[in-house]
Amino acid sequence: MSNDIDVIIIGAGVVGLAIAAEISRANKNVFVFEKNRTFGQETSCRNSEVIHAGMYYPENSLKAEFCVSGNNLLYEFCEKYSINHKRLGKLIVAADDNETKEVEKLYRQGLKNGISGLQMLTHDEIKRLEPNVEAVAGLLSPSTGVVDSHDLMKTFHGCAKENGVAFAFGAEVISIDKIAGGYEVGIQDSDRTYAVTGSVVINSAGLFSDRVAQLAGIDIEQAGYKLHFCKGAYFSLNPKVRKLVNRLVYPVPEQAGLGTHVTLSLDGSMRLGPNTKYVDDLEYTVDERDRVDFYQAVCRYLPSIEIDDLAPDFAGVRPKLQAKGKGFCDFIIRDETDKGLPGLINLIGIESPGLTAAPAIAQYVAGIVEKII
Ligand SMILES: Cc1cc2nc3c(=O)[nH]c(=O)nc-3n(C[C@H](O)[C@H](O)[C@H](O)COP(=O)(O)OP(=O)(O)OC[C@H]3O[C@@H](n4cnc5c(N)ncnc54)[C@H](O)[C@@H]3O)c2cc1C
């Protein structure tokens, strides 16, 4: 029996969209199911929009590999399709000698990961670049930048549609059953449930990717697929302090995040965040009471800001494999043949740098699909 569809993609965040655009170049019949009314309504529209360089992740990890290659691919893609972006550069700053050692570690890790242009800076060199920043030393990353994530997703969506990809919005995947030669996938939309069959199923369901894997019968605790929600909130800075920095400024990273940093939007406005708070439920409120913590985190290296300059902005939630207090976890991106589910490709734990890595992940997944059909 032949299947309705070659490739079923679950989720139209930046990763699902990039995969759809890439796979459909090879003339496959691709269908994307997205539970929300349009694409990019969850984590992909609630992030720092930073094109990371890739110095935070151990060499040979998928995060390092796809961040470094995704960085190049993303700039190329943005230039080709005139997507709004800026190669602003970034500074990771050290407040004391202990932090300098941490920054030096990042420098060495960045070199191992193959990032070009990294440079350690002294206090005086930092002052020349960023007169308002206080630091004893720092790491300059010229290939870090920012991108308009909506524009990026709109372009992936447009490319996919041009290649013939079909999108069903308001269509939630509620079941996945193995059948001969593929999968039967149950869909719930606003007024009916129905099923389609596909040879390959790609689970790029972001915060819900563990639950989607569970639909296919995977024991997510045993497989190590259980996700932990880790909220990251932002405060905006009053427009009167717009010109305080010329590039992104980060402190040394924390255990679960990159540290409360200063990002610059493409319109020049400044934002502080994200912090890290493990939460049980998905919700996106920003607690006004966190203002003091944000202020204290940032005024160490940007002393001219004042607490009244900060206003609650928005929050995103990271789909983390790393439980609270635990160590580094890599992206999981794999075909599940060894679990008796050939042609089911799971993408789990696609937290930062998922936006940067999206085009590289898409090429990798397309390579897996190519071997299957
Ligand atoms: C606070 C924060 C800051 C970040 N900053 C950066 C950054 O600066 N740079 C960077 O590179 N990365 C950053 N990231 C990470 C980046 O945002 C994510 O890695 C990326 O957006 C993940 O995209 P995705 O497509 O996997 O997930 P999502 O955008 O969550 O998309 C998944 C989609 O699947 C859909 N879905 C779920 N379940 C179902 C179902 N059963 N049926 C149908 N559809 C379903 C959802 O509705 C959703 O649209 C940040 C993340 C956070 C939270």
Side-chain angles (χ1 to χ4, degrees):
M1 198 181 86
S2 71
N3 291 313
D4 306 333
I5 301 166
D6 291 336
V7 182
I8 293 173
I9 298 175
I10 305 169
V14 69
V15 174
L17 292 168
I19 294 171
E22 183 66 33
I23 284 179
S24 54
R25 280 157 32 112
N27 229 351
K28 290 192 170 57
N29 167 14
V30 181
F31 218 113
V32 180
F33 292 96
E34 166 55 56
K35 67 179 169 57
N36 292 327
R37 60 181 172 75
T38 185
F39 60 83
Q41 299 294 293
E42 299 199 347
T43 311
S44 298
C45 71
R46 295 175 166 278
N47 58 64
S48 304
E49 300 191 302
V50 172
I51 304 175
H52 286 297
M55 70 284 283
Y56 293 107
Y57 322 105
E59 67 270 27
N60 302 323
S61 62
L62 294 182
K63 283 184 178 172
E65 187 187 330
F66 296 149
C67 187
V68 175
S69 55
N71 175 291
N72 284 324
L73 291 170
L74 199 51
Y75 281 120
E76 274 170 26
F77 190 77
C78 287
E79 269 144 37
K80 179 168 176 190
Y81 291 98
S82 304
I83 296 165
N84 197 6
H85 72 289
K86 251 187 208 160
R87 203 186 283 256
L88 283 170
K90 145 172 160 178
L91 199 55
I92 306 176
V93 292
D96 55 35
D97 291 347
N98 278 338
E99 289 194 359
T100 301
K101 289 191 189 109
E102 294 301 311
V103 173
E104 282 166 352
K105 261 193 221 162
L106 291 174
Y107 173 62
R108 289 192 295 273
Q109 190 62 62
L111 295 182
K112 281 187 200 160
N113 293 353
I115 304 169
S116 53
L118 292 177
Q119 205 187 332
M120 282 300 296
L121 300 182
T122 61
H123 167 271
D124 291 352
E125 287 167 331
I126 291 172
K127 274 285 166 211
R128 277 197 287 278
L129 293 178
E130 295 290 353
N132 294 309
V133 170
E134 274 314 319
V136 298
L139 173 60
L140 182 67
S141 164
S143 64
T144 304
V146 286
V147 60
D148 178 334
S149 56
H150 185 75
D151 206 3
L152 176 65
M153 288 192 279
K154 203 171 83 178
T155 308
F156 280 138
H157 178 242
C159 290
K161 279 187 63 165
E162 235 169 70
N163 295 343
V165 176
F167 284 82
F169 292 116
E172 179 172 357
V173 169
I174 53 167
S175 64
I176 302 174
D177 293 300
K178 180 84 196 79
I179 55 171
Y183 294 88
E184 183 177 90
V185 174
I187 314 290
Q188 170 83 61
D189 69 15
S190 57
D191 47 25
R192 65 181 180 132
T193 43
Y194 58 97
V196 292
T197 58
S199 309
V200 169
V201 174
I202 298 172
N203 167 15
S204 53
L207 292 160
F208 302 94
S209 53
D210 57 347
R211 294 184 211 180
V212 168
Q214 207 166 27
L215 292 179
I218 292 177
D219 179 337
I220 58 170
E221 295 284 354
Q222 200 185 350
Y225 288 2
K226 177 132 186 51
L227 288 174
H228 307 272
F229 293 157
C230 183
K231 187 169 160 185
Y234 295 84
F235 276 70
S236 59
L237 270 190
N238 189 320
K240 82 173 162 49
V241 290
R242 262 174 175 243
K243 298 277 178 217
L244 274 187
V245 293
N246 304 306
R247 53 183 59 68
L248 311 174
V249 183
Y250 283 54
V252 293
E254 307 161 348
Q255 193 182 25
L258 301 185
T260 302
H261 48 260
V262 182
T263 50
L264 284 171
S265 304
L266 286 157
D267 66 3
S269 57
M270 283 170 67
R271 185 177 293 134
L272 311 182
N275 62 353
T276 50
K277 259 189 201 166
Y278 279 85
V279 291
D280 293 328
D281 300 312
L282 264 190
E283 56 83 22
Y284 296 106
T285 53
V286 179
D287 191 342
E288 160 72 35
R289 288 169 302 182
D290 286 341
R291 185 199 293 256
V292 176
D293 289 348
F294 273 76
Y295 170 71
Q296 284 172 346
V298 176
C299 75
R300 290 168 64 232
Y301 56 87
L302 202 59
S304 48
I305 60 165
E306 289 171 18
I307 192 157
D308 292 336
D309 294 332
L310 279 66
D313 199 350
F314 70 92
V317 175
R318 306 168 180 90
K320 272 191 172 292
L321 286 161
Q322 181 187 7
K324 192 174 180 182
K326 301 288 184 199
F328 172 82
C329 288
D330 204 0
F331 292 152
I332 291 173
I333 303 176
R334 68 192 310 274
D335 168 65
E336 302 288 9
T337 300
D338 60 1
K339 293 190 180 63
L341 298 167
L344 172 66
I345 301 169
N346 276 320
L347 290 92
I348 319 251
I350 313 298
E351 54 162 332
S352 190
L355 178 71
T356 310
I361 292 175
Q363 288 188 353
Y364 181 70
V365 171
I368 302 177
V369 173
E370 208 50 52
K371 286 187 197 133
I372 304 172
I373 49 173

